[in-house]
Amino acid sequence: MATDPAAHQHPTFPFLKLPSELRNRIYSFALVKPTPIDLCPGDSVYDASNMKYKIQNIPSLGHFNSPTLHEELEIRQKYLGHLHTFRVQKDLLWVRKELSPKLLRTCRQIYGEASEIFWSANKWQFAQDKQWHTLFRWLKTIGPRAIARIRSLEVFAPMASDPMEGHGLAALDPEPSKNHPKLRMAKIPHEGCCDCRAETFKSLMLEGTLRFNFVVPAGFCICTLDEYGNDMHGSDDSQVPRRKSLVPQGFLPKITITIEPYAFAQELKVKDFTGRGWDLIAAPDSTSDYMADFFTNRSIINPTNTMKTWKGLPRKL
């Protein structure tokens, strides 16, 4: 006796008939990571395919008569400088395995409802993207509709600098050249051919609902909140580059500066940040002994064991 194949199929669950509040809760469980999604982390590994050969060809430092730090750096840079590294994308791998981004491809209605939560409820982070190259490529990839939905973006502070860079210590930590797993993004000109920071500011210029968090990581410092332009001013005897703000005038997103533990700001005061309308957060163990004059009232502020927050003054746009 023939049986109807449809009788053995599982009935389709009427998901779209659920109340919108319940659907949004399901979207949140399926698409939101409880911690920030860092798409440019600092963790990296060497390319195992040529690492063994490179290490075997490093000359023993014992052949040198007590080499100085500078000589040792030159030796290591010569033999390890071109060794490819991969950025370990742990958060990206977590999103692909633990979340359900394929839910966005189900149908047009679910995409419209779920994408709003995916972009707005997640906190997006680019912790070690010093030149904002990865951030700019990512923004070009996701497009203006997704950008308008983002509410939290955390990036490497554009005014942060490495005080050890002038001593050549950065040679021991080459920039990763690839991502693992691969992060598919739009291609743009080489870093030196495109001002990624300026283009990123332009892309986010009118996103008034976005909170932009500039993070100063451990080991980095802030010495100035401005940059120097190419035009000169002053007398003929003392011409100096003209200073201009790193953040363009009329930039709508709310800006927060976070100084992480063992990072510091030099020759700057709290009002230098809050006067621009920026919030300032100093984490425990930040500023340390480098900042004797940073805090306006040291008798009530102890930056070594507490987190302190200052609200920015109203901005004139």
Side-chain angles (χ1 to χ4, degrees), residues 90-303:
K90 294 180 181 179
D91 287 351
L92 178 62
L93 187 62
W94 195 94
V95 168
R96 290 178 178 176
K97 285 188 174 183
E98 302 297 331
L99 299 184
S100 302
K102 292 183 179 179
L103 180 65
L104 300 173
R105 303 179 183 177
T106 307
C107 68
R108 181 174 297 182
Q109 180 178 346
I110 290 180
Y111 173 79
E113 297 173 349
S115 60
E116 176 73 29
I117 293 177
F118 177 71
W119 293 114
S120 64
N122 280 304
K123 296 181 178 180
W124 304 95
Q125 188 178 61
F126 295 81
Q128 294 296 323
D129 192 11
K130 298 180 179 64
Q131 301 300 324
W132 293 16
H133 189 254
T134 302
L135 170 60
F136 180 55
R137 291 182 61 193
W138 181 72
L139 293 175
K140 294 284 286 185
T141 303
I142 65 176
R145 290 184 62 184
I147 292 174
R149 293 170 173 170
I150 295 174
R151 297 293 177 267
S152 177
L153 188 59
E154 187 172 295
V155 299
F156 185 91
M159 65 287 293
S161 60
D162 186 353
M164 295 292 103
E165 186 174 356
H167 301 282
L169 295 180
L172 296 178
D173 187 22
E175 285 290 328
S177 57
K178 298 181 179 180
N179 293 293
H180 181 76
K182 187 175 182 180
L183 182 60
R184 297 177 179 86
M185 296 184 296
K187 293 184 178 180
I188 62 173
H190 189 266
E191 295 181 45
C193 303
C194 177
D195 189 345
C196 295
R197 290 177 179 171
E199 294 298 325
T200 299
F201 279 127
K202 188 184 300 183
S203 301
L204 303 173
M205 189 77 178
L206 302 179
E207 302 301 332
T209 58
L210 171 65
R211 291 194 65 88
F212 216 176
N213 187 11
F214 294 162
V215 178
V216 185
F220 286 80
C221 68
I222 299 179
C223 298
T224 179
L225 300 180
D226 299 314
E227 62 180 350
Y228 289 97
N230 295 324
D231 54 330
M232 311 291 285
H233 71 98
S235 64
D236 295 337
D237 297 332
S238 60
Q239 285 193 342
V240 295
R242 185 181 298 278
R243 298 176 66 180
K244 60 180 181 180
S245 176
L246 279 163
V247 180
Q249 186 177 5
F251 189 70
L252 293 184
K254 179 65 177 178
I255 293 178
T256 301
I257 306 289
T258 300
I259 305 178
E260 292 191 334
Y262 307 109
F264 60 96
Q266 194 171 18
E267 298 179 358
L268 292 170
K269 297 181 182 296
V270 171
K271 64 182 180 180
D272 294 330
F273 298 88
T274 57
R276 297 170 183 246
W278 302 350
D279 293 346
L280 175 64
I281 300 175
D285 294 322
S286 66
T287 71
S288 188
D289 296 330
Y290 295 99
M291 284 303 302
D293 298 325
F294 182 75
F295 297 98
T296 55
N297 191 339
R298 284 172 288 163
S299 62
I300 61 172
I301 300 173
N302 182 4

Side-chain angles (χ1 to χ4, degrees), residues 35-56:
T35 56
I37 300 176
D38 191 354
L39 297 180
C40 193
D43 297 335
S44 60
V45 294
Y46 285 105
D47 182 3
S49 63
N50 63 354
M51 182 176 180
K52 183 177 180 181
Y53 171 79
K54 289 283 186 178
I55 291 180
Q56 287 177 344

